[in-house]
Amino acid sequence: MSADRGTLLIISGPSGSGKTSVIEKLRAHPRVRVSVSVATRPPREGEVDGRDYTFVSRDDFLAMKEEGRFVETNDVFTNGNLYGSLKSELNEALAEPGLVYIMEVDVVGARNIRDAGYEGLHVFIAPPSREVLETRLRRRGTDDEAAIAKRLGRAAEERRLAEEDGAVIVVNDELDRAVEQIMDETGLSPLPS
Ligand code: 5GP
């Protein structure tokens, strides 16, 4: 990690891999900032506008895209909604010495960020098994059967792409261990317990 610049940590992983819980833990670290993507889907229960996402209409999203404000926008591993990460936020974060800036995107987004010329560590959060992933998705209760089947089908393909990209694969069988492994990879000191 460079001392005079921020570090980019890209986190991807299938829905239900526990990505969000991992990021919630990392967020508590004083040197971590989590990127807020722009999204066109409605907020889920408990999600806060401006914290989890900046929620906008499709028209507003397309206007922002036209203005060139995104580093990348989502491609295939999402759900018909549009997601994008802001160039301005990323550049500001990289200018802050010692900061670790987390971007949570799909695997194609991870590839596109690096193709856009940004260096960063890509961590892919993998569920322990397909069965565990299926149980987590059902328990979450936000998807119907068809959506669950689709997500399961995509998960393996996402992992394949992440491996192809040289991502660090972190198996999330135990949350604290997964978080520790990521902190190690990024040179973050442990949080006081
Ligand atoms: P969800 O709707 O479940 O919050 O997110 C759906 C998917 O969109 C997840 O895989 C998430 O990582 C991805 N995603 C969220 N924000 C962005 C973004 O700015 N860019 C890209 N490429 N994917 C995103």
Side-chain angles (χ1 to χ4, degrees):
M1 144 170 345
S2 155
D4 58 351
R5 271 181 78 67
T7 306
L8 173 59
L9 171 60
I10 304 168
I11 297 188
S12 69
S15 310
S17 61
K19 245 179 338 188
T20 310
S21 311
V22 168
I23 292 171
E24 276 317 298
K25 287 254 175 181
L26 290 169
R27 193 194 283 277
H29 198 287
R31 280 179 42 217
V32 166
R33 182 185 302 160
V34 182
S35 146
V36 181
S37 288
V38 178
T40 62
R41 74 158 169 73
R44 295 193 185 116
E45 211 181 311
E47 283 184 332
V48 179
D49 190 21
R51 178 187 185 272
D52 297 291
Y53 286 106
T54 298
F55 296 99
V56 300
S57 68
R58 211 175 168 87
D59 281 351
D60 285 352
F61 187 99
L62 293 173
M64 290 171 82
K65 184 168 177 171
E66 191 66 28
E67 288 161 14
R69 291 174 60 189
F70 294 119
V71 183
E72 56 79 45
T73 53
N74 71 301
D75 202 312
V76 287
F77 286 108
T78 41
N79 38 24
N81 298 307
L82 301 172
Y83 301 81
S85 41
L86 291 168
K87 259 184 216 168
S88 53
E89 279 199 13
L90 172 57
N91 290 333
E92 269 167 39
L94 292 179
E96 284 192 40
L99 191 78
V100 173
Y101 187 63
I102 297 181
M103 296 178 77
E104 189 228 307
V105 295
D106 70 320
V107 279
V108 177
R111 183 173 285 186
N112 290 339
I113 291 166
R114 299 207 290 188
D115 284 351
Y118 291 95
E119 267 177 47
L121 176 70
H122 178 190
V123 168
F124 180 85
I125 312 283
S129 66
R130 186 188 157 98
E131 289 69 32
V132 170
L133 179 59
E134 187 168 350
T135 308
R136 285 180 185 168
L137 288 175
R138 266 182 224 294
R139 207 180 292 146
R140 197 166 75 172
T142 52
D143 293 315
D144 59 22
E145 282 305 308
I148 288 175
K150 217 174 185 179
R151 284 197 196 271
L152 286 173
R154 284 175 179 168
E157 172 67 0
E158 287 181 60
R159 180 170 175 149
R160 194 189 62 73
L161 280 180
E163 281 172 353
E164 208 175 274
D165 267 10
V168 175
I169 311 287
V170 172
V171 178
N172 184 19
D173 47 5
E174 207 203 295
L175 181 60
D176 285 339
R177 206 168 37 190
V179 170
E180 254 171 51
Q181 196 184 334
I182 296 171
M183 289 182 41
D184 266 5
E185 295 280 352
T186 43
L188 285 166
S189 53
L191 280 169
S193 44

Coordinates of all heavy atoms in Angstrom, one line a residue, residues 11-15 19 35 37-39 41 44 47 53 72-75 77-79 81 83-86 103-110 112 140 151 158, ligand 1:
I11 N -14.6 -5.1 -3.9 CA -15.2 -6.3 -3.3 C -16.4 -6.7 -4.2 O -17.3 -6.0 -4.5 CB -15.6 -6.1 -1.9 CG1 -14.4 -5.8 -1.0 CG2 -16.4 -7.3 -1.4 CD1 -14.7 -5.7 0.5
S12 N -16.3 -8.0 -4.7 CA -17.4 -8.5 -5.4 C -17.8 -9.9 -4.8 O -17.1 -10.3 -3.9 CB -17.0 -8.7 -6.9 OG -16.0 -9.8 -7.0
G13 N -18.9 -10.4 -5.3 CA -19.3 -11.7 -4.8 C -20.8 -11.8 -5.1 O -21.5 -10.8 -5.2
P14 N -21.3 -13.1 -5.2 CA -22.7 -13.2 -5.5 C -23.6 -12.7 -4.3 O -23.2 -12.7 -3.2 CB -22.9 -14.7 -5.7 CG -21.7 -15.4 -5.1 CD -20.6 -14.4 -5.1
S15 N -24.8 -12.3 -4.7 CA -25.8 -12.0 -3.6 C -25.9 -13.2 -2.7 O -26.1 -14.3 -3.2 CB -27.2 -11.7 -4.2 OG -27.0 -10.8 -5.3
K19 N -21.4 -10.5 1.5 CA -20.6 -9.3 1.1 C -21.0 -8.1 2.0 O -20.1 -7.4 2.5 CB -21.0 -8.9 -0.3 CG -20.0 -9.0 -1.3 CD -20.6 -8.5 -2.7 CE -22.1 -8.6 -2.9 NZ -22.5 -8.4 -4.2
S35 N -17.6 3.2 -0.8 CA -18.2 4.0 -1.9 C -19.7 3.9 -1.9 O -20.2 2.8 -1.5 CB -17.6 3.4 -3.2 OG -18.5 3.4 -4.2
S37 N -22.6 3.8 -4.4 CA -23.0 3.7 -5.8 C -24.4 4.4 -6.0 O -25.1 4.5 -5.1 CB -23.1 2.2 -6.3 OG -21.8 1.6 -6.3
V38 N -24.6 4.7 -7.3 CA -25.9 5.2 -7.7 C -26.7 4.0 -8.3 O -26.2 3.2 -9.0 CB -25.7 6.3 -8.8 CG1 -27.0 6.9 -9.3 CG2 -24.8 7.4 -8.2
A39 N -28.0 3.9 -7.9 CA -28.8 2.8 -8.3 C -30.2 3.2 -8.7 O -30.7 4.2 -8.1 CB -28.8 1.7 -7.2
R41 N -32.7 0.9 -8.6 CA -33.8 0.1 -7.9 C -34.3 0.8 -6.6 O -33.6 1.7 -6.1 CB -33.2 -1.3 -7.6 CG -32.3 -1.4 -6.5 CD -32.2 -2.8 -5.9 NE -31.1 -3.0 -5.0 CZ -31.1 -2.6 -3.7 NH1 -32.0 -1.7 -3.3 NH2 -30.1 -2.9 -2.9
R44 N -34.3 -1.2 -0.3 CA -34.9 -2.3 0.5 C -35.1 -1.8 1.9 O -34.5 -0.8 2.3 CB -33.9 -3.5 0.5 CG -33.6 -4.2 -0.8 CD -32.9 -5.5 -0.6 NE -32.6 -6.1 -1.9 CZ -31.3 -6.3 -2.3 NH1 -30.3 -6.0 -1.5 NH2 -31.1 -6.8 -3.5
E47 N -32.5 0.1 4.2 CA -31.4 0.8 3.4 C -31.7 2.3 3.5 O -32.8 2.8 3.5 CB -31.5 0.4 1.9 CG -30.8 -1.0 1.7 CD -30.8 -1.4 0.3 OE1 -31.6 -1.0 -0.6 OE2 -29.9 -2.2 -0.1
Y53 N -26.9 3.3 -1.0 CA -26.9 3.8 -2.4 C -27.4 5.2 -2.5 O -28.1 5.6 -1.6 CB -27.8 2.9 -3.3 CG -27.3 1.5 -3.6 CD1 -28.0 0.4 -3.0 CD2 -26.3 1.3 -4.6 CE1 -27.5 -0.9 -3.3 CE2 -25.9 0.0 -4.8 CZ -26.5 -1.1 -4.2 OH -26.1 -2.4 -4.5
E72 N -17.7 3.3 -14.0 CA -18.3 2.1 -14.8 C -19.7 2.0 -14.4 O -20.1 2.6 -13.4 CB -17.5 0.8 -14.4 CG -17.4 0.5 -12.9 CD -18.7 -0.1 -12.3 OE1 -19.2 -1.0 -13.0 OE2 -19.2 0.3 -11.3
T73 N -20.5 1.3 -15.2 CA -21.8 1.0 -14.8 C -22.0 -0.5 -15.0 O -21.3 -1.1 -15.7 CB -22.9 1.8 -15.7 OG1 -22.5 1.5 -17.1 CG2 -22.8 3.3 -15.5
N74 N -23.1 -1.0 -14.3 CA -23.2 -2.5 -14.3 C -23.5 -3.1 -15.7 O -24.0 -2.4 -16.5 CB -24.2 -2.9 -13.3 CG -25.6 -2.6 -13.8 OD1 -25.9 -1.4 -14.0 ND2 -26.5 -3.5 -14.0
D75 N -23.2 -4.3 -15.8 CA -23.4 -5.0 -17.1 C -24.3 -6.2 -16.9 O -25.5 -6.0 -16.9 CB -22.0 -5.4 -17.5 CG -21.9 -5.5 -19.0 OD1 -22.8 -6.2 -19.6 OD2 -21.0 -5.0 -19.6
F77 N -24.3 -9.0 -14.5 CA -24.6 -9.8 -13.3 C -25.6 -9.1 -12.4 O -25.6 -9.4 -11.2 CB -23.3 -10.2 -12.6 CG -22.6 -11.2 -13.3 CD1 -21.4 -11.0 -14.0 CD2 -23.1 -12.5 -13.4 CE1 -20.8 -12.0 -14.7 CE2 -22.5 -13.5 -14.1 CZ -21.3 -13.2 -14.7
T78 N -26.3 -8.2 -12.9 CA -27.3 -7.6 -12.0 C -28.7 -7.9 -12.6 O -28.9 -8.9 -13.3 CB -27.0 -6.1 -11.9 OG1 -26.6 -5.6 -13.1 CG2 -25.9 -5.8 -10.9
N79 N -29.7 -7.1 -12.2 CA -31.1 -7.6 -12.3 C -32.0 -6.7 -13.2 O -33.2 -6.6 -12.9 CB -31.6 -7.6 -10.9 CG -31.1 -6.4 -10.1 OD1 -30.7 -5.4 -10.7 ND2 -30.9 -6.6 -8.8
N81 N -31.8 -3.6 -13.1 CA -31.6 -2.2 -12.6 C -30.2 -1.7 -13.0 O -29.4 -2.5 -13.3 CB -31.7 -2.2 -11.1 CG -33.1 -2.7 -10.6 OD1 -34.1 -2.1 -11.1 ND2 -33.2 -3.7 -9.8
Y83 N -26.7 0.3 -12.1 CA -25.8 0.7 -10.9 C -24.6 1.4 -11.5 O -24.1 0.9 -12.6 CB -25.4 -0.5 -10.2 CG -26.5 -1.4 -9.6 CD1 -27.2 -2.3 -10.3 CD2 -26.8 -1.2 -8.2 CE1 -28.2 -3.1 -9.8 CE2 -27.8 -2.0 -7.7 CZ -28.5 -3.0 -8.5 OH -29.5 -3.7 -7.9
G84 N -24.1 2.3 -10.8 CA -22.8 2.9 -11.3 C -22.0 3.5 -10.1 O -22.6 3.9 -9.1
S85 N -20.7 3.6 -10.3 CA -19.9 4.2 -9.3 C -19.3 5.5 -9.8 O -19.0 5.6 -11.0 CB -18.8 3.2 -8.9 OG -18.3 2.5 -10.0
L86 N -19.2 6.5 -8.9 CA -18.9 7.8 -9.3 C -17.4 8.1 -9.4 O -16.6 7.8 -8.4 CB -19.5 8.8 -8.3 CG -21.0 8.9 -8.4 CD1 -21.5 9.7 -7.2 CD2 -21.5 9.6 -9.7
M103 N -15.0 -0.4 -3.0 CA -16.1 -0.4 -3.9 C -16.7 -1.7 -4.1 O -16.0 -2.7 -4.3 CB -15.5 0.1 -5.3 CG -15.0 1.5 -5.3 SD -14.3 1.9 -6.9 CE -15.8 2.3 -7.8
E104 N -18.0 -1.8 -3.8 CA -18.7 -3.1 -3.9 C -19.4 -3.1 -5.3 O -20.4 -2.3 -5.5 CB -19.7 -3.2 -2.8 CG -20.3 -4.6 -2.7 CD -21.8 -4.6 -2.5 OE1 -22.3 -4.0 -1.6 OE2 -22.4 -5.3 -3.4
V105 N -19.0 -4.0 -6.1 CA -19.5 -4.0 -7.5 C -19.6 -5.5 -7.9 O -19.1 -6.4 -7.3 CB -18.6 -3.3 -8.5 CG1 -18.6 -1.8 -8.2 CG2 -17.2 -3.8 -8.5
D106 N -20.3 -5.7 -9.1 CA -20.3 -7.1 -9.6 C -18.9 -7.4 -10.3 O -18.1 -6.5 -10.4 CB -21.5 -7.3 -10.6 CG -21.3 -6.5 -11.8 OD1 -20.8 -5.4 -11.8 OD2 -21.6 -7.0 -12.9
V107 N -18.7 -8.6 -10.6 CA -17.3 -9.0 -11.1 C -17.0 -8.3 -12.4 O -15.8 -8.0 -12.6 CB -17.2 -10.5 -11.3 CG1 -16.9 -11.2 -10.0 CG2 -18.4 -11.1 -12.0
V108 N -18.0 -8.0 -13.2 CA -17.7 -7.3 -14.5 C -17.3 -5.9 -14.1 O -16.4 -5.3 -14.7 CB -18.9 -7.4 -15.4 CG1 -18.6 -6.6 -16.7 CG2 -19.2 -8.8 -15.8
G109 N -18.0 -5.3 -13.2 CA -17.6 -3.9 -12.7 C -16.2 -3.9 -12.2 O -15.4 -3.0 -12.5
A110 N -15.8 -4.9 -11.5 CA -14.4 -5.0 -11.0 C -13.4 -5.0 -12.1 O -12.4 -4.2 -12.1 CB -14.2 -6.3 -10.1
N112 N -14.0 -3.8 -15.1 CA -14.1 -2.5 -15.8 C -13.4 -1.4 -15.1 O -12.8 -0.5 -15.7 CB -15.5 -2.1 -16.1 CG -16.2 -3.0 -17.1 OD1 -15.5 -3.6 -17.9 ND2 -17.5 -3.1 -17.1
R140 N -33.3 -14.5 3.2 CA -33.3 -13.1 3.0 C -34.7 -12.7 2.6 O -35.2 -11.5 2.9 CB -32.3 -12.7 2.0 CG -32.0 -11.2 2.0 CD -30.7 -11.0 1.2 NE -31.0 -11.1 -0.2 CZ -30.1 -10.7 -1.2 NH1 -28.9 -10.3 -0.8 NH2 -30.4 -10.8 -2.4
R151 N -29.9 -16.4 -9.6 CA -28.7 -16.0 -8.8 C -27.8 -17.1 -8.6 O -26.6 -17.0 -8.6 CB -29.2 -15.4 -7.5 CG -29.8 -14.0 -7.6 CD -29.8 -13.4 -6.2 NE -30.7 -12.2 -6.1 CZ -30.3 -11.0 -6.3 NH1 -29.0 -10.7 -6.7 NH2 -31.1 -10.0 -6.1
E158 N -19.7 -16.1 -11.8 CA -19.0 -15.0 -11.3 C -17.7 -15.4 -10.7 O -16.7 -14.7 -10.8 CB -19.9 -14.3 -10.2 CG -21.1 -13.6 -10.7 CD -22.0 -13.0 -9.6 OE1 -21.4 -12.1 -8.9 OE2 -23.1 -13.3 -9.5
Ligands
5GP1 P1 -28.1 -5.2 -4.9 O1 -29.3 -4.7 -5.7 O2 -28.3 -6.6 -4.4 O3 -27.7 -4.2 -3.8 O4 -26.9 -5.3 -5.9 C1 -26.9 -6.1 -7.0 C2 -25.6 -6.2 -7.6 O5 -25.1 -4.9 -8.1 C3 -24.5 -6.6 -6.6 O6 -23.7 -7.6 -7.3 C4 -23.7 -5.4 -6.4 O7 -22.3 -5.7 -6.1 C5 -23.8 -4.7 -7.7 N1 -23.4 -3.3 -7.7 C6 -23.8 -2.4 -6.8 N2 -23.3 -1.2 -7.1 C7 -22.6 -1.3 -8.3 C8 -21.9 -0.5 -9.1 O8 -21.7 0.7 -8.8 N3 -21.3 -1.0 -10.2 C9 -21.5 -2.3 -10.5 N4 -20.9 -2.8 -11.6 N5 -22.2 -3.2 -9.8 C10 -22.7 -2.7 -8.6

